[in-house]
């Protein structure tokens, strides 16, 4: 069960399967950690990803739902 803040339910960005990539589980974990800490660097650290890769994922054209969840998580924090 996830603990996303209100309004932060989202459809994970479809990515190529990679053991070190932004899996749906990592995306959810990132949003949860971001809602808790309010810090992108800490949220990335908690899921083992870099802030640069998080911002790159956020900028993707197909990441609108992820961007909205990110903004909601920061508002919640």
């Amino acid at each position: 069960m996830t603990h996303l803040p209100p309004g932060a339910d989202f459809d994970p960005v479809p990515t190529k399967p990679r053991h070190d990539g932004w899996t749906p589980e990592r995306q959810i974990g990132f949003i949860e950690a971001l809602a808790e800490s309010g810090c992108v660097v800490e949220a990335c650290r908690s899921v083992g990803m870099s802030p640069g890769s998080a911002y790159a994922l956020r900028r993707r054209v197909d990441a609108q739902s992820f961007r909205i969840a990110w903004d909601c998580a920061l508002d919640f924090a």
Side-chain angles (χ1 to χ4, degrees):
M1 182 174 165
T2 61
H3 297 75
L4 295 173
D9 288 335
F10 72 103
D11 297 319
V13 181
T15 57
K16 292 181 181 177
R18 289 178 49 150
H19 74 281
D20 62 346
W22 278 103
T23 63
E25 294 78 19
R26 279 196 179 111
Q27 292 178 48
I28 292 166
F30 169 80
I31 296 297
E32 290 174 338
L34 187 59
E36 187 174 313
S37 70
C39 177
V40 172
V41 172
E42 286 183 30
C44 285
R45 189 177 302 126
S46 76
V47 295
M49 300 300 285
S50 73
S53 69
Y55 282 105
L57 184 66
R58 179 184 166 89
R59 285 191 301 270
R60 285 180 43 165
V61 121
D62 57 351
Q64 181 178 4
S65 182
F66 181 72
R67 282 191 297 276
I68 292 169
W70 180 316
D71 293 342
C72 285
L74 286 176
D75 288 346
F76 183 80

